Amino acid sequence: VGSYRDISHESLALFRLLEPHIEILVLGTGDRVERLHPAVLKQMRDCGIAVEVQDTPNACATFNFLTSEKRVAAAGLIPP
C-alpha cells in the first residue's frame, strides 16, 4: 500500500486472518485523515472488525491506548 487510495478489501485481507481475531483496526493514512471507500469499511464491519481511520500520528496514539487497555487491536500505518 503506497497511499490511502491503495487500501482495498484485498489489501486488508491479512487483518481478517489474524488470530486472535482483532476487535479494531486502526488505519493511519499519512499526514491527514483520508476517506476510505464505504464498501471497504462495510466489508470489515461484516467480518466483525471495527475500523478507525486517522492521520498516522493520531493512529499510533490510538493504537497504543487500545493495547494499553488490553484490547485486541491491529494497526496499518502509512508514513506521514
Side-chain angles (χ1 to χ4, degrees):
V1 172
S3 81
Y4 75 94
R5 291 178 196 93
D6 300 327
I7 298 173
S8 66
H9 184 68
E10 292 78 23
S11 70
L12 298 176
L14 169 69
F15 297 108
R16 294 188 301 276
L17 300 174
L18 293 175
E19 289 294 333
H21 184 76
I22 62 173
E23 299 172 31
I24 185 165
L25 172 61
V26 182
L27 293 176
T29 56
D31 287 325
R32 44 184 255 199
V33 179
E34 301 290 353
R35 296 179 62 90
L36 299 185
H37 195 285
V40 172
L41 300 175
K42 182 183 180 321
Q43 290 167 334
M44 294 302 283
R45 279 194 312 271
D46 290 347
C47 294
I49 300 171
V51 179
E52 180 70 31
V53 180
Q54 301 178 339
D55 61 88
T56 299
N58 284 315
C60 290
T62 299
F63 175 77
N64 289 336
F65 177 77
L66 290 168
T67 57
S68 75
E69 290 192 328
K70 307 294 187 227
R71 301 279 304 272
V72 183
L77 307 169
I78 299 171

